[in-house]
Amino acid sequence: MQRRIKRDYRRYGPKEFLSFAQKVQLSLFGNKNYPDSVWGTNIALLQKLAELVPAFATAYRLASNGDRLLIRERDKLMEEIIALLDEMASFLEAVSMRNPDALYTTGFNIAQERRSFRRNRLPLISPPDFIVVNSGEPRKAVASASSPPGAYNHEIHINTKDPAVEAEWFHKSIFPDSKNMVLENLDPGNTFFRMRHHGPDGPGPWSSITSVLIS
């Protein structure tokens, strides 16, 4: 059975959404299935969630008087948290391939898919046009690649030492849009990059390795 995170929180009203967001926050902080070492540079997602959920709780309470301006501020925060939850969901699905049951501990609602019903699905291919360029800003680069049918999100690994040594590669980030993958907080110097797509059956093969001098 394939497990994935439902994005049903996009349809929630403000009251239900607040309860859901608080549950996700409570479930993920201190979760032994997803320690800081798993989050890596994506730990900023957790930190941002810790800031936005209490802010939304306050905005929800203030908007209960029906003030239109306060309602707009509440709804704007809700949209920001939804975008954050989308990014977190993609990341959690990608890092849970070996232990999909761990998704049940995230606070998200989980769906199961029978792979047998998708036998005619085309397998994901190695990204043939993956490129990375120096953005011109310190410690920042921008990557892009085409997205094949069936790809949910796109993962980039980096290596600042020897690309021939698998142990030197580490996860950098997961992106929902392969056309504009902004990589920040990179170490200056020559850096190697590779990427792969993730679909309903898991990750596809790695792209060719490319290198960029990071300023």
Side-chain angles (χ1 to χ4, degrees), residues 14 55-56 58-81:
F56 180 71
T58 300
Y60 173 79
R61 185 180 69 254
L62 294 175
S64 62
N65 65 4
D67 183 282
R68 292 185 178 180
L69 179 59
L70 293 175
I71 289 174
R72 283 198 297 269
E73 291 177 355
R74 178 202 67 192
D75 292 347
K76 183 178 179 181
L77 265 176
M78 185 170 170
E79 291 175 1
E80 190 173 352
I81 296 174

Tab-separated table of all heavy atoms in Angstrom, residues 14 55-56 58-81:
chain	number	residue	atom	x	y	z
A	14	PRO	N	-11.839	28.276	8.898
A	14	PRO	CA	-10.838	28.789	9.839
A	14	PRO	C	-10.781	28.029	11.162
A	14	PRO	O	-9.692	27.736	11.665
A	14	PRO	CB	-11.274	30.245	10.051
A	14	PRO	CG	-11.976	30.604	8.784
A	14	PRO	CD	-12.699	29.359	8.373
A	55	ALA	N	0.338	32.754	15.761
A	55	ALA	CA	-0.119	34.014	15.178
A	55	ALA	C	-1.512	33.854	14.575
A	55	ALA	O	-2.366	34.747	14.680
A	55	ALA	CB	0.869	34.492	14.115
A	56	PHE	N	-1.748	32.705	13.954
A	56	PHE	CA	-3.069	32.449	13.370
A	56	PHE	C	-4.114	32.287	14.473
A	56	PHE	O	-5.263	32.728	14.324
A	56	PHE	CB	-3.028	31.209	12.489
A	56	PHE	CG	-4.353	30.886	11.844
A	56	PHE	CD1	-4.862	31.682	10.834
A	56	PHE	CD2	-5.092	29.791	12.262
A	56	PHE	CE1	-6.087	31.404	10.243
A	56	PHE	CE2	-6.318	29.501	11.677
A	56	PHE	CZ	-6.816	30.305	10.669
A	58	THR	N	-4.156	33.781	17.318
A	58	THR	CA	-4.484	35.137	17.758
A	58	THR	C	-5.370	35.843	16.734
A	58	THR	O	-6.368	36.485	17.087
A	58	THR	CB	-3.199	35.946	17.977
A	58	THR	OG1	-2.404	35.306	18.981
A	58	THR	CG2	-3.511	37.363	18.415
A	59	ALA	N	-5.006	35.712	15.450
A	59	ALA	CA	-5.788	36.355	14.392
A	59	ALA	C	-7.204	35.790	14.337
A	59	ALA	O	-8.164	36.526	14.089
A	59	ALA	CB	-5.087	36.162	13.050
A	60	TYR	N	-7.327	34.499	14.563
A	60	TYR	CA	-8.654	33.868	14.561
A	60	TYR	C	-9.514	34.429	15.691
A	60	TYR	O	-10.690	34.737	15.497
A	60	TYR	CB	-8.498	32.359	14.711
A	60	TYR	CG	-9.812	31.635	14.883
A	60	TYR	CD1	-10.627	31.363	13.786
A	60	TYR	CD2	-10.247	31.239	16.149
A	60	TYR	CE1	-11.839	30.704	13.948
A	60	TYR	CE2	-11.450	30.582	16.315
A	60	TYR	CZ	-12.245	30.318	15.210
A	60	TYR	OH	-13.451	29.685	15.367
A	61	ARG	N	-8.918	34.575	16.856
A	61	ARG	CA	-9.664	35.104	18.006
A	61	ARG	C	-10.087	36.561	17.771
A	61	ARG	O	-11.231	36.941	18.046
A	61	ARG	CB	-8.805	34.999	19.263
A	61	ARG	CG	-9.548	35.412	20.542
A	61	ARG	CD	-8.678	35.304	21.763
A	61	ARG	NE	-7.599	36.298	21.770
A	61	ARG	CZ	-6.329	36.022	21.540
A	61	ARG	NH1	-5.954	34.776	21.274
A	61	ARG	NH2	-5.417	36.965	21.566
A	62	LEU	N	-9.172	37.371	17.240
A	62	LEU	CA	-9.479	38.785	17.013
A	62	LEU	C	-10.542	38.972	15.940
A	62	LEU	O	-11.369	39.888	16.016
A	62	LEU	CB	-8.202	39.533	16.619
A	62	LEU	CG	-7.119	39.633	17.702
A	62	LEU	CD1	-5.875	40.291	17.134
A	62	LEU	CD2	-7.634	40.415	18.913
A	63	ALA	N	-10.536	38.083	14.923
A	63	ALA	CA	-11.480	38.221	13.810
A	63	ALA	C	-12.877	37.739	14.167
A	63	ALA	O	-13.813	37.915	13.373
A	63	ALA	CB	-10.965	37.447	12.596
A	64	SER	N	-13.029	37.168	15.364
A	64	SER	CA	-14.343	36.646	15.752
A	64	SER	C	-15.381	37.745	15.940
A	64	SER	O	-16.579	37.474	16.000
A	64	SER	CB	-14.217	35.828	17.043
A	64	SER	OG	-13.751	36.646	18.113
A	65	ASN	N	-14.917	39.023	16.017
A	65	ASN	CA	-15.867	40.127	16.158
A	65	ASN	C	-16.464	40.562	14.827
A	65	ASN	O	-17.307	41.463	14.780
A	65	ASN	CB	-15.206	41.321	16.848
A	65	ASN	CG	-14.085	41.938	16.020
A	65	ASN	OD1	-13.833	41.536	14.879
A	65	ASN	ND2	-13.396	42.922	16.584
A	66	GLY	N	-16.018	39.931	13.718
A	66	GLY	CA	-16.585	40.218	12.411
A	66	GLY	C	-15.940	41.367	11.674
A	66	GLY	O	-16.370	41.714	10.563
A	67	ASP	N	-14.890	41.951	12.230
A	67	ASP	CA	-14.201	43.057	11.567
A	67	ASP	C	-13.566	42.567	10.262
A	67	ASP	O	-12.796	41.602	10.263
A	67	ASP	CB	-13.116	43.618	12.494
A	67	ASP	CG	-12.413	44.825	11.903
A	67	ASP	OD1	-11.549	44.625	11.030
A	67	ASP	OD2	-12.728	45.961	12.315
A	68	ARG	N	-13.897	43.226	9.152
A	68	ARG	CA	-13.447	42.744	7.839
A	68	ARG	C	-11.935	42.802	7.693
A	68	ARG	O	-11.331	41.916	7.078
A	68	ARG	CB	-14.114	43.565	6.727
A	68	ARG	CG	-15.615	43.322	6.614
A	68	ARG	CD	-16.197	44.068	5.437
A	68	ARG	NE	-17.636	43.803	5.298
A	68	ARG	CZ	-18.401	44.337	4.344
A	68	ARG	NH1	-17.858	45.163	3.456
A	68	ARG	NH2	-19.684	44.036	4.293
A	69	LEU	N	-11.323	43.830	8.219
A	69	LEU	CA	-9.870	43.948	8.126
A	69	LEU	C	-9.187	42.814	8.880
A	69	LEU	O	-8.242	42.199	8.375
A	69	LEU	CB	-9.415	45.298	8.683
A	69	LEU	CG	-7.893	45.552	8.677
A	69	LEU	CD1	-7.355	45.477	7.260
A	69	LEU	CD2	-7.567	46.896	9.311
A	70	LEU	N	-9.690	42.510	10.060
A	70	LEU	CA	-9.118	41.427	10.851
A	70	LEU	C	-9.360	40.068	10.189
A	70	LEU	O	-8.518	39.180	10.248
A	70	LEU	CB	-9.708	41.444	12.260
A	70	LEU	CG	-9.337	42.653	13.123
A	70	LEU	CD1	-10.073	42.606	14.454
A	70	LEU	CD2	-7.832	42.714	13.346
A	71	ILE	N	-10.500	39.915	9.544
A	71	ILE	CA	-10.792	38.675	8.825
A	71	ILE	C	-9.827	38.490	7.660
A	71	ILE	O	-9.320	37.391	7.405
A	71	ILE	CB	-12.248	38.662	8.335
A	71	ILE	CG1	-13.200	38.507	9.526
A	71	ILE	CG2	-12.481	37.531	7.337
A	71	ILE	CD1	-14.665	38.616	9.169
A	72	ARG	N	-9.523	39.596	6.947
A	72	ARG	CA	-8.566	39.507	5.833
A	72	ARG	C	-7.184	39.119	6.341
A	72	ARG	O	-6.480	38.321	5.707
A	72	ARG	CB	-8.506	40.835	5.082
A	72	ARG	CG	-9.695	41.081	4.159
A	72	ARG	CD	-9.388	42.157	3.138
A	72	ARG	NE	-9.141	43.445	3.778
A	72	ARG	CZ	-10.086	44.354	4.027
A	72	ARG	NH1	-11.351	44.103	3.706
A	72	ARG	NH2	-9.784	45.505	4.592
A	73	GLU	N	-6.792	39.678	7.479
A	73	GLU	CA	-5.486	39.341	8.050
A	73	GLU	C	-5.451	37.874	8.471
A	73	GLU	O	-4.445	37.183	8.270
A	73	GLU	CB	-5.204	40.254	9.240
A	73	GLU	CG	-4.970	41.709	8.847
A	73	GLU	CD	-4.762	42.603	10.056
A	73	GLU	OE1	-4.899	42.093	11.190
A	73	GLU	OE2	-4.468	43.797	9.873
A	74	ARG	N	-6.566	37.404	9.054
A	74	ARG	CA	-6.658	35.993	9.432
A	74	ARG	C	-6.543	35.087	8.209
A	74	ARG	O	-5.798	34.098	8.208
A	74	ARG	CB	-7.983	35.736	10.137
A	74	ARG	CG	-8.226	34.292	10.551
A	74	ARG	CD	-9.704	34.029	10.744
A	74	ARG	NE	-10.432	34.116	9.467
A	74	ARG	CZ	-11.765	34.167	9.374
A	74	ARG	NH1	-12.508	34.166	10.468
A	74	ARG	NH2	-12.349	34.231	8.182
A	75	ASP	N	-7.273	35.417	7.145
A	75	ASP	CA	-7.273	34.586	5.945
A	75	ASP	C	-5.915	34.616	5.240
A	75	ASP	O	-5.503	33.608	4.634
A	75	ASP	CB	-8.371	35.051	4.986
A	75	ASP	CG	-9.763	34.775	5.530
A	75	ASP	OD1	-9.870	34.018	6.508
A	75	ASP	OD2	-10.737	35.316	4.982
A	76	LYS	N	-5.220	35.754	5.310
A	76	LYS	CA	-3.886	35.836	4.712
A	76	LYS	C	-2.917	34.911	5.435
A	76	LYS	O	-2.108	34.213	4.808
A	76	LYS	CB	-3.376	37.281	4.770
A	76	LYS	CG	-2.023	37.482	4.106
A	76	LYS	CD	-1.592	38.938	4.162
A	76	LYS	CE	-0.217	39.116	3.519
A	76	LYS	NZ	0.234	40.541	3.582
A	77	LEU	N	-3.004	34.880	6.759
A	77	LEU	CA	-2.157	33.967	7.534
A	77	LEU	C	-2.497	32.517	7.226
A	77	LEU	O	-1.608	31.667	7.122
A	77	LEU	CB	-2.357	34.229	9.029
A	77	LEU	CG	-1.379	35.178	9.717
A	77	LEU	CD1	-1.792	35.394	11.160
A	77	LEU	CD2	0.046	34.652	9.638
A	78	MET	N	-3.783	32.245	7.053
A	78	MET	CA	-4.223	30.888	6.741
A	78	MET	C	-3.629	30.435	5.407
A	78	MET	O	-3.147	29.300	5.286
A	78	MET	CB	-5.750	30.839	6.697
A	78	MET	CG	-6.334	29.457	6.502
A	78	MET	SD	-8.133	29.491	6.765
A	78	MET	CE	-8.576	27.850	6.179
A	79	GLU	N	-3.618	31.302	4.406
A	79	GLU	CA	-3.035	30.968	3.106
A	79	GLU	C	-1.538	30.700	3.232
A	79	GLU	O	-0.995	29.800	2.585
A	79	GLU	CB	-3.288	32.105	2.115
A	79	GLU	CG	-4.752	32.268	1.714
A	79	GLU	CD	-4.975	33.475	0.823
A	79	GLU	OE1	-3.981	34.176	0.507
A	79	GLU	OE2	-6.130	33.723	0.447
A	80	GLU	N	-0.870	31.471	4.065
A	80	GLU	CA	0.577	31.297	4.252
A	80	GLU	C	0.875	29.952	4.918
A	80	GLU	O	1.825	29.253	4.545
A	80	GLU	CB	1.126	32.444	5.112
A	80	GLU	CG	2.636	32.502	5.159
A	80	GLU	CD	3.165	33.735	5.860
A	80	GLU	OE1	2.354	34.632	6.181
A	80	GLU	OE2	4.383	33.804	6.104
A	81	ILE	N	0.051	29.571	5.885
A	81	ILE	CA	0.258	28.294	6.563
A	81	ILE	C	-0.049	27.132	5.619
A	81	ILE	O	0.629	26.105	5.642
A	81	ILE	CB	-0.605	28.207	7.837
A	81	ILE	CG1	-0.176	29.281	8.839
A	81	ILE	CG2	-0.484	26.829	8.476
A	81	ILE	CD1	-1.062	29.374	10.066
